[in-house]
Amino acid sequence: MLSRTAENLFWVARYMERAETMARLLEVGARIALTPSTGHGYRSEWESLLQASGTADGFSEKYGDPVQRNIESYLFFDRDNPSSVISCVERARENARIVRTAITGQVWDTLNTAFQEIRQIERQPRSEWEITELCEWVARQSALLRGAMDGTMLRNDGFFFMNLGYALERADNTARLIDVKYFVLLPSVEMVGSGLDNYQWQVLLRALQSYRAFHWAYGGELTASKIMHFLILNPASPRSLISATRKAMHHLDNLESFYEVEPGTGLPQMRAKALMTELNQTQVAEIIEEGLHEFLTRFIGEIGQLTALVQQTYLSGDAR
């Protein structure tokens, strides 16, 4: 497969996963905003979303003060924001259009339908949509694409590149979502373990659609350490950091086999396996001792380095 084609497929998946993350961030903000004020926390729960998504500077230049309605517009509808939902959906569809012959008709139809629908949503008065409805729409489109891929695509390098894109984007984004909760939303360390702390963890679980799965896995009392384990270290959790990293490693192994590379010799595989080994040996107490924010920041950096190796090894280097 041409590296250019591989890159387009890789980014189709990354953009759709990023769109879903932006929607989930908005859902976290909307749910937190319904609770009593967090007082003197990190400025406001809405600004925290900008910080976590890495879009704070772009928003500040365009809108100034972080007002809820402007943040919703910037994260969902603003094409000046390359990470907004509409930007991601349009770029995913454009990347797919370029490589139509490398994807199935069902995958193309899913992306094209999402593209057409979000343009219709954009033209409707904002008052006709609740933010939760918009977030659910995005999650549904992302799920439809994953289903179309799994159900119709040949298990070849194109399929592996798309799933690799999904895995790397999910690992990065889940770490950012956890960081929103712990580093940004909680007013002070004295409130760790408080009712507000526990409520915000529940909001995060619900935004990740993992609330029921968490209770199936752990039951009993909801605590920060249990949720950290579930979202970071539990391989049975579909959105955990270790699950996303394992999925990335799996598809790197598939690519290695597909291209008949000697097993374990590729730089991306070696980096992914080193990261998996570290996660397998990590305990929640060690994360707390290091500092959750510091741990997540380091993890995001490692995923970035792994992505750079994937880019250098398999893709054209001309990222879209």
Side-chain angles (χ1 to χ4, degrees), residues 136-148:
E136 288 170 4
W137 178 86
V138 177
R140 190 161 57 249
Q141 302 311 312
S142 187
L144 286 171
L145 177 60
R146 287 195 296 272

Side-chain angles (χ1 to χ4, degrees), residues 10 17 39 84-85 93 129-130 148 165 181 194 202 235 312 320:
F10 179 79
E17 181 70 13
S84 70
V85 172
R93 188 259 191 186
W129 288 87
E130 295 290 339
K181 160 65 194 84
S194 67
Q202 291 181 50
Q312 293 165 16
R320 290 180 167 276

